[in-house]
Amino acid sequence: MFSSSSVLVLVALLAQFGAAKPVAEKRWDDVEVKHAWVQLPKGWEYHSAPSPDYMLELRIGLKQDKLDDLIQALYEVSDPIHAKYGQHLSKEQVDALVAPHPDTTAAVNEWLEHHDIDPASCHSRSSAGEWLTLHVPVSKAEEMLDTTYGVYYHPKSDEYVVRTTSYSLPRELHSHINVITPTTYFSTMRSMKATSFVQAPQPKTEVNAASFAENISPLAVPSSCGSTVTPACIAALYNTTGFVPKSTATNKLGIAGYLEEFASDSDLQTFFKRFLTTAEGTTITHVQVNGGENNQNDPGVEANLDVQYGLGVSFPTPLIYYSTGGSPPFTPDSNTPSNTNEPYLNWLDFILNQTTVPQTFSTSYGDDEQTVPLDYATSVCNLFAQLGARGSSIMFSSGDDGVGGGNCETNDGTNRVLFQPNFPASCPFVTTVGGTTKVNPEVAVDFSSGGFSRYFAQPTYQATAVNKFVASLGTKFSGLFNASGRAYPDVAALAEGFQVVVGGGVESVAGTSCSSPTFAGVVALLNDARITAGKAPLGFLNPIFYANATAGFNDIVSGSNPGCGQAGFTAVAGWDAVTGLGTPNFGLLEKLIV
Ligand SMILES: *[C@@H]1O[C@H](CO)[C@@H](O)[C@H](O)[C@H]1NC(C)=O
Ligand SMILES: *[C@@H]1O[C@H](CO)[C@@H](O)[C@H](O)[C@H]1NC(C)=O
Ligand SMILES: *[C@@H]1O[C@H](CO)[C@@H](O)[C@H](O)[C@H]1NC(C)=O
Ligand SMILES: *[C@@H]1O[C@H](CO)[C@@H](O)[C@H](O)[C@H]1NC(C)=O
C-alpha cells in the first residue's frame, strides 16, 4: 500500500525547507508550541512520511467568548433549587453563547489569509462559527502549524493515522484557538467491553426461558440474575417493573456507536423472542454519522449489547443508534480527505447541529485520560456541556481497568506509576457509570474503573459526597491519585453475565459497557415519567443526583477495583470511587426527582 518510504522522507524534507518564511511576516512567525508529547503515545510506531499532497480535514476549535456563561447556564438549568431548573436552552441559545469573539474570528481569518486560505471556504457546524473545518494538504498544515506530520501505525489494532507529536501556533493565536485537529490526539479509543470479557456461553436451558424471565417479582430477584442477566433481571433488580412509558412520541434514547460496530436488527428480534416477548417486532432507527456504516451482516457485540439492553430496559421508548465513521481502515496514500478518526468531535458536531436532541444518551467507549491531549479533552468535554444545556442526560461507561490498566506509568517522561483515569468518564459534564455484579447483595465488580481526573477539577455538585470518601482514605494511596480532581463513577449498574444475541446465538458479555446502556435505560424511563407529568426532562443528571437522589440508589458497600499493582478503592457506605452513589431504584428515584 505504501510507496517507498525513502522517497517520501526526501519529499517531506524538501517540503520543510520550502516552508521557510519571509522575515517580514513577524506576526505569524513568532510561534509557540501548542501541544507536544514528550514521547510517542504508547502502542504507536512511526511508519513513514505522508505524501505532502495527502489531504487533511483540519478542524480549528476557536475560543468561545461566553463559555463561562454557557457553563453557568448548564448549572442553573440542572440545579434543582435554581429558579431556572429544567429551562433548557435551544440550539440557537447555545450557539449564541459559544460563538467566538469578533476579534478571535478576525485574527484567525487574517492568519488563514496569510496562508492563502479563503476563510469563506471553511465551513462551520453552526452559525456560531466556533469550529472551522478546512481541507488542506499535509504540506500546508505543516507550514501553518510549524510541524511535520507522520504516518503512525498501531500494531495492536492494525490502524494507521496521520498525526504529529507536536504542533505550534503563532503566539498571538494561543488566546484565540483552543485546539486544532488532527494533530497530537492518537486515539486509542476502545469499547468498554474488552474481548476477554465475552464469557463462556451459558447452557441453553438457562437462557431460553422467556416466560421464567418475564415473571420475576420485584421483591424477589432470583439468584440466577447474579450470573445470567436478562432484561427481566434488570427490571426486578432496579424496580422498573410495572412502569409503562407513555411519552414515546417525544422521549428518545440515543446510543453512540463507533469503531464500525453495527447493531443487528435480526439479532434484536431474536433477543426479544428469547428475553422480552412483549417487544417483538419493535425496531430501532439507524443514523449514520460522518460516513459511518450499517453493515447488517457484521453485527458487533458492543453495538448489539447497547441496543438490546438500552431498549430492553426502556421499551417501548424509541431508540436511535448512531454509527459514527472516522475509524480505520483508511489508505494513507490516497489524496481524498481522510477519515480523520476524531470520533467524539464528529458525533458531537452532528448531534449539536440538530434542533431537537434525544433526552438520554449512552456511550460505552473511552481512552486513558493521559493519552488525550488536555486541549482536546477540554474542548470535547465542553461540547458535552452544550449537549447537557440542551437538556440531554449523557451516560458514559467508567471503564474496565479498575484504578488503572497496564503498568500505569505516566507519559510525561517521568514514568511514575499513578492511577490512570479514563476520558470522557472524567469529564465533569457527563454521568459516569461503574460496574457491579451478583445480586442479594449486589457488589462492586473488580474491573469497575473509578478514580480522580488529573485534567478536570472537582465540580461543586460532588464535593460533599466525594470529600467524605477521600477523608475516609486517610493517607491510603496518597500520591497515586489527585484528590482535587473530578471523581467518578457517579453511579453504577450490573456489568457481568449479560445475555446478548450476536449472530443469532447468545453470548454472555461483561464490562461497564453493560452498565451504561442499562443505567441509561432507567434514565430514559425517568425522563418519560417527567415528560408525561408535563415537566422538562432531567437533562444533566449529576447535580440533582448528588443533591436530591441519594436515597434512590442501592448503596453498594462491598468489593473493590484493583489495578496498577494496588488493591484499589473499596466500595463503602455513601459515594465511593468504585460504584459512585450506587445502582438505581427506579421506583424510589421516580418519587424523588420526577
Ligand atoms: C447542520 O444542519 C443544517 C440544516 O439541517 C445543514 O444544512 C448543515 O449541513 C448541517 N451542518 C453540519 C456540519 O452537519
Ligand atoms: C489535580 O487536579 C487539579 C484540578 O483539575 C489540577 O489543577 C492539578 O494540576 C492536578 N494535579 C496533578 C498532580 O495532577
Ligand atoms: C431537591 O432538594 C431541595 C432541598 O435540598 C428541594 O428544595 C428541591 O425541591 C428538591 N428538588 C426536587 C426536584 O426534588
Ligand atoms: C419500588 O418502587 C416502589 C415505588 O414505585 C416502592 O414503593 C418500593 O418500595 C420499591 N421497591 C423496593 C424493593 O425498593
Side-chain angles (χ1 to χ4, degrees), residues 48-286:
S48 57
S51 154
D53 300 329
Y54 177 68
M55 292 301 286
L56 288 175
E57 184 179 271
L58 217 57
R59 255 168 227 248
I60 306 178
L62 301 186
K63 188 82 66 192
Q64 300 137 342
D65 190 29
K66 296 179 182 142
L67 182 66
D68 293 347
D69 294 0
L70 172 83
I71 305 296
Q72 191 189 332
L74 169 70
Y75 279 123
E76 286 175 2
V77 300
S78 314
D79 173 359
I81 55 172
H82 197 279
K84 289 190 180 158
Y85 181 72
Q87 295 175 28
H88 301 122
L89 280 64
S90 67
K91 175 179 188 297
E92 289 66 30
Q93 287 171 319
V94 167
D95 286 352
L97 290 176
V98 298
H101 190 279
D103 292 352
T104 293
T105 309
V108 171
N109 284 355
E110 282 164 37
W111 175 63
L112 291 172
E113 279 162 358
H114 167 70
H115 287 287
D116 304 315
I117 294 163
D118 178 6
S121 71
C122 309
H123 48 265
S124 162
R125 168 180 60 79
S126 67
S127 52
E130 103 266 35
W131 284 92
L132 299 179
T133 304
L134 49 150
H135 292 128
V136 294
V138 160
S139 56
K140 176 62 84 178
E142 290 182 334
E143 177 192 315
M144 295 167 75
L145 306 177
D146 194 30
T147 186
T148 307
Y149 278 87
V151 175
Y152 291 89
Y153 179 57
H154 192 252
K156 202 173 154 199
S157 59
D158 194 27
E159 174 183 355
Y160 295 91
V161 295
V162 176
R163 291 293 187 277
T164 171
T165 54
S166 159
Y167 75 107
S168 297
L169 284 175
R171 205 173 295 276
E172 181 189 332
L173 293 183
H174 280 247
S175 57
H176 296 303
I177 291 178
N178 289 330
V179 67
I180 296 192
T181 77
T183 50
T184 53
Y185 174 38
F186 291 63
S187 175
T188 40
M189 183 196 230
R190 57 188 182 274
S191 86
M192 295 307 186
K193 176 259 346 139
T195 348
S196 57
F197 285 135
V198 175
Q199 300 165 318
Q202 304 292 314
K204 251 190 172 162
T205 46
E206 258 192 75
V207 295
N208 195 10
S211 54
F212 140 80
E214 283 175 48
N215 289 329
I216 297 173
S217 127
L219 296 174
V221 182
S223 56
S224 69
C225 291
S227 57
T228 307
V229 178
T230 63
C233 291
I234 305 286
L237 187 61
Y238 298 147
N239 199 13
T240 67
T241 307
F243 178 78
V244 181
K246 293 187 188 70
S247 293
T248 54
T250 45
N251 192 38
K252 291 183 173 57
L253 171 58
I255 303 280
Y258 299 98
L259 308 179
E260 304 191 321
E261 278 275 343
F262 311 118
S264 161
D265 295 324
S266 68
D267 282 342
L268 182 64
Q269 294 312 317
T270 308
F271 177 80
F272 287 149
K273 205 176 193 127
R274 297 182 80 150
F275 302 116
L276 196 68
T277 50
T278 49
E280 271 187 74
T282 306
T283 57
I284 62 170
T285 304
H286 297 269

Side-chain angles (χ1 to χ4, degrees), residues 124-125 349-350 353:
S124 162
R125 168 180 60 79
D349 257 11
F350 174 84
N353 193 35

Side-chain angles (χ1 to χ4, degrees), residues 80-81 544 548 592:
I81 55 172
I544 198 169
N548 292 60
L592 289 167

Side-chain angles (χ1 to χ4, degrees), residues 219 239 585 587-588 591:
L219 296 174
N239 199 13
N585 183 326
L588 299 184
K591 287 191 175 136

